[in-house]
Amino acid sequence: MDHAHLDRTPNSYVEDVSPGRGRARPRASFSSDAAVIELDGSWSFRLAAGLHDLTPGYENPAFDAESWTHIAVPSCWQMDGIPGPTRFGAPAYTNITYPIPIDPPRVPDENPTGEYRRVFEAPENFTGGGAAVLRFEGVDSCFAVWLNGVRLGDGKGSRLPTEFDVTRVLRPGRNVLAVRVHQWSAGTYLEDQDMWWLSGIFRSVRLLARPADGIRDFFVHADYDHRSGLGTLRIDVEGDARLTVPELGLADADPAGPHAVPGVTPWSDEQPRLYEGELTTAAERVPIRIGFRRIAVEDGVLTGNGKPLLFRGVNRHEWDPVTGRTLSRETMLADVLLMKRHNVNAVRTSHYPPDPAFLDLCDEYGLWVIDECDLETHGFSKNAWRGNPSDDPVWRAALLDRAERMVERDKNHPSVVMWSLGNEAGTGANLEAMAGWIRDRDPDRLIHYEGDWDNCAYTDVYSVMYPDYPSVAAVAAGQERLTGDPVNDARRRTMPFLLCEYAHAMGNGPGGLRQYQEMFQAHPRLAGGFVWEWIDHGIARRDVQGTLYYVYGGDFGEPVHDGNFIADGLLFPDRTPSPGLLEYAKVAEPVRIEASPQGRGIVVRNLHHARDTGYLRWTWRLEVDGDLAADGEWNVPAVGPGAQDRVAWPEALAKAVEAAGPGERWLTVSAQLAGDERWAAAGHTVAWAQIDLDADSAERISPLDKPSVRVGGVSVRSPRRHGDTFVLGAGRFDAVTGTLVRLGDLPVGGPRVDVWRALIDNDRFSSLGAAWQQAGLDRLRHKVLDVETGDDGFTVRTRISPAGSDLALLADYHWRAESGNRLVLTVDTAPTRPWSVPLPRLGVAMTVPGEFDRVTWFGLGPGEAYRDSDTAVRVGRYESTVEAMQTPYVRPQENGNRRHLRWARLTRSRHAAGYRTRGMEITGSPRFDLTVKPWSTQALENAAHTVDLAPDGRVHLNIDLEHHGLGSGSCGHPVQPRHHLAAVPARLTLGFRPVEGGRAMA
């Protein structure tokens, strides 16, 4: 190619809507035995302020760059120095709003520009008489390239590969590669994805030798007929190649075939069968992996290999808290393994094609993929979509180019089953043109695009974001909203329904996952969905003490930002699973275990579409009041995909149940991997269920419900006055307020009624949090109305109300003493008039000294749970430190609730001078929720980051009757009405007694 003409207007490409000049034609991503020079490593680097600040002649081989700094390639320059101070600008986060004026295709003069230089050696006869190709896997957002002073061209499309033919300018020996990268360009208007704005050569760079008679490109077509079990293989090859696939009996065959192969094992997420082979020419060998599969829509149902397909998916951005969008293969593998181990079977590559290595891993380990084009123009919605590139003919070539480069790069991945045109780019003729080109090029895959809500004119699935439960139910029943166009309505009702985003996993949540999954499983037209999203995009920082924490939008001084809306993943930034991921894993189990309606058995429902349950090993465990009574193996016959079976208890379990003593009897059944899988070792739990063996019995009676012990008609535990306090049993109370001040010799504060929680993101980003604050629930004041003592204890009557309002709760505290040194508190609450808002929580708050730092409990655990997110926890006996009970959400908020406790003990792990009492036992009638924190709710709410929280010397307890649900209100469905905590008359009964020497004091 003649590169001379490219120098006439050297910088016009920045604001040119063209996708680039001088580039080679797109092709598949593949490796071969041809020579390659890896160019990743340390590059010379200078950051310029814009086009007015460029370095003259820096691309010339003789330029002296000794004074320049160095930067790693691949990397994002704004992340250089993380977790310490950044060296080259700073990240910026917006969700919808462009960080530059909307003036397409122009961009500001303040346009940070990275100037890169790399010197490398090329061997003699590197190309062997063929061509040399310089390949960039990803550069954000626009770049120009020179080799040995010759301008090769320029390119846009940040998350897509760009190649340049360098055959005539490559030299044996020393070569100088110069790349100029601009943060802002015309391409920026097509890349308004919800993520950090970062720049640089962030994916690998390499120089490829392309043999003269090598393989230019190829396209594997591997169809599967589920009716006959026949696989059909044909490969379109550019080059005179031969095909060998030993497992298919193909040797030196014509790739074009078609080759009919009976009895192949189809590729699926459950059995990702790949047949290894190679394409060969006289000069090159290219390894290939073939996965036979067929994706189709049949009678409005999405099918994989002839069977209904249900996506248990996640939306995945590429993210690392230190390197940004530059990911190692090890990090990508960690993502895939975590997905597989948490029952995720599908990925939407939001909102751009990922590093090709990730798709290789999806092929190998088994994940269905919706491959999404590098296109989003969401910021135009702020201007009623005026000038939106999706419908402007000037931009058509750029959009078609992005579709072509995605399809050509990724077309040979069996994991890719849908092409997505992009995300939140409005509607328009250019999107329709993209769909048309893709359908012509690859008719065997489906096309997805969420933004075409009404017409579904160029897609194969009906896709929406964040529908509420009634909307999903309406679609399932064939009663979805009509467009008014009978043709469009009829077409849409023949489409599978897909939730490309739902259940916004921001902060503490999402709640309500189970209800979605139940609908998905009940209605074949519902093809499942993709939780938003996989990982929190927190950026690692260290405070002055060296403590690691994570920051979000606004922490780099961005004038326009969207705060912590970037922290909305199922993984914390360090890839630790959040409680939300644990909940999703349980909800999305591919095998369901339920108690048999006939009793003394279980029903196993296999939700796999291709695999029976023979790969699982089954165990049972019987516990009474949290103590192990018996356990054993369970021989459960294999259940076929889509089938279910009833399995009777094994004899050993039946005998153990008969022999079990009194108490709560819980049976836990687990299905674990019987052998090693690629994605997990033997013993990994795939599914489990816990069955209450006494569920049909009369409600259990708590000892707290028993009347006080009386002798001769007088309570043995009546209050006694001592100065400004009075004593009741093991408790000492303030005589004026009736507040408990000591339990044994343990100083306590409270308990008193509390209804406030540190707002979770789903509260703050919805109308709920503002409504609570408007009602004054965050600033309630307590007024003691009366303290009345008697033979049976005493009662404190109070009124709780915010300033400036007559909205109030009346709360009566009834205290009595029981044998065994236990105090019993019954709290009765009632609103003085109807409240227009639900309560955040309802219970009591109290404090004890900070030395009491260990918690043991019998109830749901081991992790946090709330009323609409409690599927992943089970009844048992657990122990933790107070520190470990905190969930480190990137932005601090309500967390750590342990649900449905029968009892809990708070003790100290080390000696504390002056305390005979070792701790406190709390019991409930029949259950309570418990949150234990080393800081107050107010401190938690005031904190912007985890490092803002420090223990204050007290342990803060919230002992609750109930919480308002979590929902997904930050960007999705609100809390279901059944999970609202209404302000209605309520009663909470608790018992408190001191613990000494590890036991409650008698």
Side-chain angles (χ1 to χ4, degrees), residues 875-892:
V875 175
R877 188 174 293 190
Y878 303 99
E879 184 174 356
S880 176
T881 64
V882 171
E883 181 183 17
M885 293 181 76
Q886 315 310 306
T887 306
Y889 294 110
V890 171
R891 178 174 179 134

Side-chain angles (χ1 to χ4, degrees), residues 623 625-626 666 690 857-861 874-878 902:
E623 293 173 309
D625 285 341
W666 290 89
Q690 192 174 54
W857 73 93
F858 176 46
L860 290 175
R874 63 185 85 180
V875 175
R877 188 174 293 190
Y878 303 99
R902 284 68 164 165

Side-chain angles (χ1 to χ4, degrees), residues 400-598:
L400 284 170
D401 173 80
R402 289 172 183 246
E404 181 180 0
R405 287 156 69 193
M406 171 182 68
V407 171
E408 297 296 356
R409 192 196 76 167
D410 297 340
K411 61 196 173 197
N412 294 321
H413 289 283
S415 59
V416 175
V417 294
M418 288 190 200
W419 303 114
S420 179
L421 304 181
N423 182 70
E424 294 174 322
T427 59
N430 295 340
L431 292 167
E432 188 170 7
M434 293 168 69
W437 185 92
I438 293 173
R439 196 164 274 121
D440 287 344
R441 179 61 171 145
D442 184 19
D444 296 331
R445 288 183 174 94
L446 304 180
I447 295 178
H448 168 271
Y449 179 66
E450 178 269 339
D452 188 19
W453 302 304
D454 290 335
N455 297 328
C456 297
Y458 33 82
T459 61
D460 298 306
V461 293
Y462 175 25
S463 177
V464 300
M465 291 181 181
Y466 307 107
D468 58 19
Y469 302 105
S471 298
V472 177
V475 173
Q479 298 173 351
E480 65 261 40
R481 180 181 63 86
L482 301 179
T483 68
D485 184 324
V487 175
N488 288 337
D489 291 339
R491 170 173 163 75
R492 193 169 69 177
R493 284 181 167 164
T494 66
M495 291 179 163
F497 183 66
L498 180 68
L499 279 63
C500 66
E501 293 180 22
Y502 81 111
H504 197 249
M506 185 176 186
N508 190 346
L513 284 168
R514 180 173 55 191
Q515 288 70 39
Y516 279 117
Q517 199 68 24
E518 288 170 349
M519 287 190 286
F520 295 161
Q521 291 166 190
H523 302 282
R525 187 189 171 195
L526 306 184
F530 297 79
V531 171
W532 186 269
E533 64 172 306
W534 178 237
I535 187 170
D536 287 339
H537 301 209
I539 293 178
R541 300 302 294 268
R542 291 192 183 276
D543 67 6
V544 293
Q545 285 78 35
T547 304
L548 186 69
Y549 67 108
Y550 299 96
V551 299
Y552 45 80
D555 285 325
F556 294 96
E558 308 101 297
V560 178
H561 67 85
D562 286 294
N564 68 312
F565 208 70
I566 196 71
D568 49 10
L570 293 168
L571 294 182
F572 294 123
D574 64 357
R575 283 182 160 74
T576 299
S578 75
L581 180 57
L582 302 182
E583 180 78 0
Y584 192 37
K586 177 60 181 162
V587 164
E589 285 175 337
V591 176
R592 288 283 186 270
I593 307 165
E594 301 165 349
S596 171
Q598 293 80 28

Side-chain angles (χ1 to χ4, degrees), residues 659-885:
E664 288 194 45
R665 301 180 303 166
W666 290 89
L667 172 63
T668 302
V669 182
S670 298
Q672 303 166 337
L673 292 181
D676 292 344
E677 301 269 339
R678 293 203 63 192
W679 47 272
H684 169 79
T685 298
V686 173
W688 62 271
Q690 192 174 54
I691 300 167
D692 183 357
L693 298 183
D694 303 304
D696 296 329
S697 64
E699 186 174 349
R700 300 178 178 97
I701 302 223
S702 166
L704 302 184
D705 297 326
K706 297 177 181 178
S708 301
V709 177
R710 305 176 68 86
V711 177
V714 178
S715 170
V716 299
R717 299 294 185 183
S718 58
R720 305 181 307 278
R721 185 70 182 249
H722 286 274
D724 58 356
T725 66
F726 54 82
V727 176
L728 178 67
R732 186 178 291 271
F733 298 80
D734 184 288
V736 175
T737 65
T739 304
L740 180 67
V741 294
R742 281 190 177 273
L743 183 67
D745 70 341
L746 177 66
V748 300
R752 71 174 185 172
V753 168
D754 189 15
V755 302
W756 186 249
R757 71 185 184 194
L759 295 180
I760 65 172
D761 288 324
N762 288 331
D763 302 334
R764 292 193 311 111
F765 281 88
S766 69
S767 60
L768 186 60
W772 283 343
Q773 290 172 322
Q774 180 69 27
L777 302 190
D778 58 337
R779 55 183 189 276
L780 294 178
R781 296 293 181 264
H782 298 248
K783 172 67 175 177
V784 175
L785 303 178
D786 187 27
V787 179
E788 179 181 323
T789 62
D791 291 341
D792 290 333
F794 68 94
T795 297
V796 181
R797 293 190 169 89
T798 67
R799 186 179 189 273
I800 306 165
S801 184
S805 172
D806 65 351
L807 189 72
L809 279 179
L810 297 179
D812 289 354
Y813 303 78
H814 310 281
W815 286 97
R816 72 176 190 268
E818 295 286 357
S819 59
N821 230 13
R822 179 168 55 204
L823 292 172
V824 177
L825 168 65
T826 298
V827 182
D828 288 306
T829 63
T832 57
R833 61 177 174 82
W835 288 33
S836 61
V837 294
L839 298 174
R841 71 184 336 143
L842 179 60
V844 296
M846 61 187 301
T847 66
V848 298
E851 291 88 348
F852 296 84
D853 59 351
R854 300 199 68 85
V855 185
T856 307
W857 73 93
F858 176 46
L860 290 175
E864 73 178 28
Y866 294 82
R867 63 190 296 170
D868 59 348
S869 182
D870 62 359
T871 308
V873 288
R874 63 185 85 180
V875 175
R877 188 174 293 190
Y878 303 99
E879 184 174 356
S880 176
T881 64
V882 171
E883 181 183 17
M885 293 181 76

Side-chain angles (χ1 to χ4, degrees), residues 233-461:
L233 175 66
R234 64 180 176 86
I235 304 179
D236 304 328
V237 181
E238 292 186 28
D240 187 15
R242 307 297 291 174
L243 171 65
T244 297
V245 188
E247 289 183 282
L248 300 179
L250 298 175
D252 196 35
D254 180 359
H259 303 284
V261 187
V264 298
T265 300
W267 188 97
S268 71
D269 67 297
E270 297 166 2
Q271 295 176 307
R273 182 65 164 93
L274 295 172
Y275 293 88
E276 306 280 345
E278 64 178 15
L279 292 168
T280 60
T281 70
E284 185 174 26
R285 292 178 178 271
V286 174
I288 61 172
R289 301 188 302 184
I290 300 163
F292 292 91
R293 54 110 181 95
R294 181 184 292 178
I295 302 299
V297 174
E298 301 176 15
D299 298 324
V301 176
L302 178 68
T303 62
N305 302 322
K307 297 181 180 179
L309 189 58
L310 182 63
F311 289 143
R312 307 185 302 269
V314 293
N315 286 275
R316 175 188 177 269
H317 269 291
E318 294 182 309
W319 186 252
D320 182 277
V322 173
T323 59
R325 283 197 290 279
T326 299
L327 269 59
S328 66
R329 187 183 186 279
E330 291 72 23
T331 298
M332 291 183 256
L333 177 58
D335 279 348
V336 169
L337 294 178
L338 282 167
M339 290 175 189
K340 295 290 291 186
R341 292 168 185 170
H342 289 86
N343 297 324
V344 171
N345 75 347
V347 180
R348 175 178 174 231
T349 68
S350 52
H351 298 295
Y352 42 82
D355 188 299
F358 179 75
L359 298 181
D360 290 337
L361 294 168
C362 293
D363 294 342
E364 294 172 20
Y365 289 87
L367 289 167
W368 304 107
V369 175
I370 297 181
D371 198 354
E372 193 146 85
C373 194
D374 190 10
L375 174 64
E376 180 166 337
T377 64
H378 202 177
F380 283 89
S381 66
K382 299 258 183 179
N383 294 333
W385 295 104
R386 290 191 304 275
N388 182 20
S390 297
D391 201 36
D392 186 341
V394 171
W395 292 91
R396 182 164 301 177
L399 270 65
L400 284 170
D401 173 80
R402 289 172 183 246
E404 181 180 0
R405 287 156 69 193
M406 171 182 68
V407 171
E408 297 296 356
R409 192 196 76 167
D410 297 340
K411 61 196 173 197
N412 294 321
H413 289 283
S415 59
V416 175
V417 294
M418 288 190 200
W419 303 114
S420 179
L421 304 181
N423 182 70
E424 294 174 322
T427 59
N430 295 340
L431 292 167
E432 188 170 7
M434 293 168 69
W437 185 92
I438 293 173
R439 196 164 274 121
D440 287 344
R441 179 61 171 145
D442 184 19
D444 296 331
R445 288 183 174 94
L446 304 180
I447 295 178
H448 168 271
Y449 179 66
E450 178 269 339
D452 188 19
W453 302 304
D454 290 335
N455 297 328
C456 297
Y458 33 82
T459 61
D460 298 306
V461 293

